[in-house]
Amino acid sequence: MSLTPAQHERLAFLCRITQKEILHLQDTDRRLFADLFTVEAAKQIETDPILAERLDAFVSRFGRLQDNLGDKFLPQLLLALAEKPGAAIDNLDRAERLGWIESVEAWLEIRKLRNQMVHEYIEDPVILSGALMAGHAYVPLLVETAKRWVEQIDKLADPLNP
């Protein structure tokens, strides 16, 4: 498959951004979850500005990587394969069939967690701690998926590398 120069540039940009997002998310994940994140820890965000900033960084970086992969990277990857991207759920179904993701359901859960962390954490520390721990558990899936997609782009960009 031959990429146009515009496709190549867009995909190269997405790969660079994705690799940076991976590093930032992993760094924040390590710092926020050095200890178990409990309901008690969630209650401390009101009085601990460092914890609050780490929490905000994690939520932002988790959401940004998930959004980038699902809303930008995947459609561009499908276009590069001469596939027509569609609605997000259709793109995820196609990615699952191609073996690029393990489960559409997991990706939908990640999206739900992102929304819980962004919109509901201010009100309920129980929801926040549960969503954060679940998000933490999904970080390896996001990272591995991102790396797999970057590798796929590398293969597309280098026709001698099947």
Side-chain angles (χ1 to χ4, degrees):
M1 171 100 4
S2 179
L3 299 175
T4 68
Q7 284 177 310
H8 187 273
E9 182 56 36
R10 178 70 177 148
L11 290 169
F13 169 77
L14 288 170
C15 287
R16 288 191 309 271
I17 294 301
T18 299
Q19 289 168 329
K20 288 177 184 180
E21 288 175 347
I22 289 169
L23 293 175
H24 292 303
L25 176 59
Q26 288 176 319
D27 179 55
T28 300
D29 184 68
R30 272 191 299 276
R31 288 184 291 123
L32 183 61
F33 296 100
D35 296 314
L36 184 65
F37 195 91
T38 63
V39 173
E40 292 307 314
K43 290 178 182 176
Q44 292 177 2
I45 65 169
E46 298 289 326
T47 58
D48 186 341
I50 293 172
L51 177 62
E53 286 178 1
R54 282 187 185 153
L55 184 142
D56 284 344
F58 177 80
V59 169
S60 175
R61 291 170 175 179
F62 182 91
R64 191 168 31 249
L65 180 58
Q66 183 268 324
D67 286 344
N68 178 40
L69 290 173
D71 298 341
K72 296 177 182 77
F73 203 120
L74 181 54
Q76 289 299 313
L77 183 54
L78 290 170
L79 280 171
L81 293 174
E83 302 237 1
K84 183 180 179 187
I89 189 74
D90 296 330
N91 293 342
L92 290 170
D93 281 336
R94 183 70 181 130
E96 185 179 56
R97 285 194 304 275
L98 290 167
W100 296 344
I101 63 173
E102 293 179 23
S103 163
V104 171
E105 290 77 24
W107 274 84
L108 295 175
E109 179 64 22
I110 289 170
R111 181 70 165 197
K112 179 181 171 187
L113 284 170
R114 176 205 164 274
N115 290 337
Q116 281 181 331
M117 288 187 285
V118 168
H119 300 295
E120 298 177 23
Y121 80 87
I122 294 173
E123 292 294 317
D124 191 336
V126 173
I127 291 174
L128 172 62
S129 62
L132 285 170
M133 289 305 295
H136 170 63
Y138 276 121
V139 167
L141 178 92
L142 279 174
V143 169
E144 289 307 313
T145 299
K147 288 179 179 179
R148 189 177 312 122
W149 292 2
V150 167
E151 288 173 9
Q152 186 66 38
I153 296 303
D154 289 342
K155 289 177 185 176
L156 288 170
D158 182 3
L160 298 177
N161 183 12

